Amino acid sequence: MSLSPAELERYARHIVLQDVGGPGQQKLKAARVLVIGAGGLGSPVLQYLAAAGVGTLGMVDDDTVSLSNLQRQVIHDTDQLGEPKVASAAETLSRLNPHVKLEPWAERLSPHNALALISRYDLVVDGSDNFATRYLVSDACFFAQKPLVTGAVGRLDGSLTLLKPFETGADGVHNPTYRCIFPERPPEGLLPTCAEAGVLGALTGMIGTMQAMEAIKEIVGFGEGLVGRLLLVDARDMRFETIRYRWSARNPLNGENPRRFDELTEVE
C-alpha cells in the first residue's frame, strides 16, 4: 500500500526509524484496528494510532460526553458535551489525521454483536471500564483469532498485556488466555467503579499510550510483545513490575474442557 507525498512527510520520523521504516508505515496504513471504548484509555489509544497512520480505526462506545469525562478523556472537549463519544472522537481524529478511515459504532458491545464486529478488524485494543466487557472482548478475540491489547486502571495503578491465545509459543504450548491469569469474573459491585473510587486522569493517559505502543509493535512486527507478561504500573510511586503468566489447562477457551462462545456468554 503506497504512501502519498503528504503521508511521506507526515510520517517522516517513522520512516527514518530503523524498526519501522517505509515497509512498517505501509503495514500501519493497511491495518484495521478496533478500539473498545472512547473514554479514558480509548482517548490516547485512538489519538496515537491515528497519528501513527493506522489506516482504519473502528471505535465502539454507546455513551455520550459528560462534563465529568473531561478530566481524563482528552479526545473530547467542552464544546462536545452531550455528543455521542464515537462522534466526538471522530471529529477530533479527522482533524488530527485526514488520511485515517474512521468507523464509529455507537452501540454497546454485547454477546450478540461482539464476534461480528471484532471479525472485521486485524487487531483489537480494549479500553473498557468493566469486567463484563473485558471478558466478553477477550473471549470474542479468541474465537475470531484476533490479537488483543487489553488494559485497565484503578485509582493510581494500571496494567496491560497482549493476548494471542490462538497461537502457540516456541515451546509448542498455547499462549495464555485472559482467563488463564484472571480465571473468574468478579461479582458485580465487588470492586468500586471509577465514579465511586476516582481515578487520576494522567494515569489513563499513561496506560492508554502504552496500549497504543503495544498495538503499533504488533502491527509493524518489532520488539517483544507482552504475550504472557502482565505489566503493572504503580503511578503513586512510579514503579513498574512485570508478572509472567502461562497457559492454564483449566481455562475454558483452549483448556482441557473447552466451551463454545455462546456457552461462555450464556453463563455470564
Side-chain angles (χ1 to χ4, degrees), residues 123-147:
L123 180 145
V124 178
V125 183
D126 185 9
S128 62
D129 62 357
N130 63 87
F131 282 103
T133 303
R134 289 182 199 134
Y135 279 82
L136 173 62
V137 172
S138 66
D139 291 346
C141 283
F142 170 79
F143 285 101
Q145 298 196 352
K146 305 294 182 180

Side-chain angles (χ1 to χ4, degrees), residues 21-37:
Q25 193 61 51
Q26 290 173 323
K27 289 180 181 179
L28 287 168
K29 183 175 181 178
R32 294 177 51 84
V33 177
L34 179 65
V35 179
I36 312 297

Side-chain angles (χ1 to χ4, degrees), residues 151-172:
V153 294
R155 296 177 179 91
L156 285 165
D157 59 88
S159 63
L160 69 148
T161 190
L162 172 65
L163 297 164
K164 299 171 69 175
F166 47 86
E167 296 181 357
T168 56
D171 56 3

Side-chain angles (χ1 to χ4, degrees), residues 32-246:
R32 294 177 51 84
V33 177
L34 179 65
V35 179
I36 312 297
L41 293 175
S43 289
V45 170
L46 287 164
Q47 288 171 303
Y48 272 106
L49 293 185
V54 168
T56 302
L57 274 177
M59 56 194 104
V60 183
D61 200 311
D62 67 340
D63 201 5
T64 57
V65 180
S66 65
L67 191 58
S68 63
N69 297 150
L70 303 186
Q71 162 255 13
R72 65 199 176 282
Q73 301 182 19
V74 294
I75 202 167
H76 314 295
D77 61 42
T78 307
D79 290 338
Q80 295 168 317
L81 293 177
E83 288 188 25
K85 284 185 180 177
V86 292
S88 169
E91 292 173 22
T92 301
L93 298 176
S94 62
R95 292 193 299 268
L96 176 63
N97 190 348
H99 300 287
V100 176
K101 180 182 178 184
L102 303 172
E103 296 181 346
W105 302 92
E107 56 190 274
R108 189 169 187 82
L109 202 72
S110 72
H112 305 292
N113 63 13
L115 276 175
L117 271 178
I118 285 169
S119 296
R120 299 168 64 100
Y121 296 87
D122 305 318
L123 180 145
V124 178
V125 183
D126 185 9
S128 62
D129 62 357
N130 63 87
F131 282 103
T133 303
R134 289 182 199 134
Y135 279 82
L136 173 62
V137 172
S138 66
D139 291 346
C141 283
F142 170 79
F143 285 101
Q145 298 196 352
K146 305 294 182 180
L148 169 63
V149 180
T150 184
V153 294
R155 296 177 179 91
L156 285 165
D157 59 88
S159 63
L160 69 148
T161 190
L162 172 65
L163 297 164
K164 299 171 69 175
F166 47 86
E167 296 181 357
T168 56
D171 56 3
V173 177
H174 289 293
N175 289 333
T177 73
Y178 188 78
R179 291 175 180 270
C180 292
I181 189 169
F182 301 115
E184 299 293 335
R185 195 178 101 190
E188 292 295 330
L190 178 65
L191 298 174
T193 65
C194 170
E196 295 166 338
V199 63
L200 193 65
L203 173 65
T204 63
M206 288 176 62
I207 302 300
T209 299
M210 287 191 283
Q211 286 182 275
M213 181 66 184
E214 195 69 6
I216 291 169
K217 286 166 52 187
E218 178 66 19
I219 293 166
V220 176
F222 68 87
E224 180 184 356
L226 283 171
V227 173
R229 295 187 295 146
L230 180 69
L231 178 63
L232 302 175
V233 178
D234 175 358
R236 182 190 295 277
D237 298 317
M238 202 53 74
R239 292 176 179 166
F240 296 76
E241 183 180 359
T242 301
I243 295 176
R244 293 191 175 272
Y245 62 101
R246 296 178 57 82

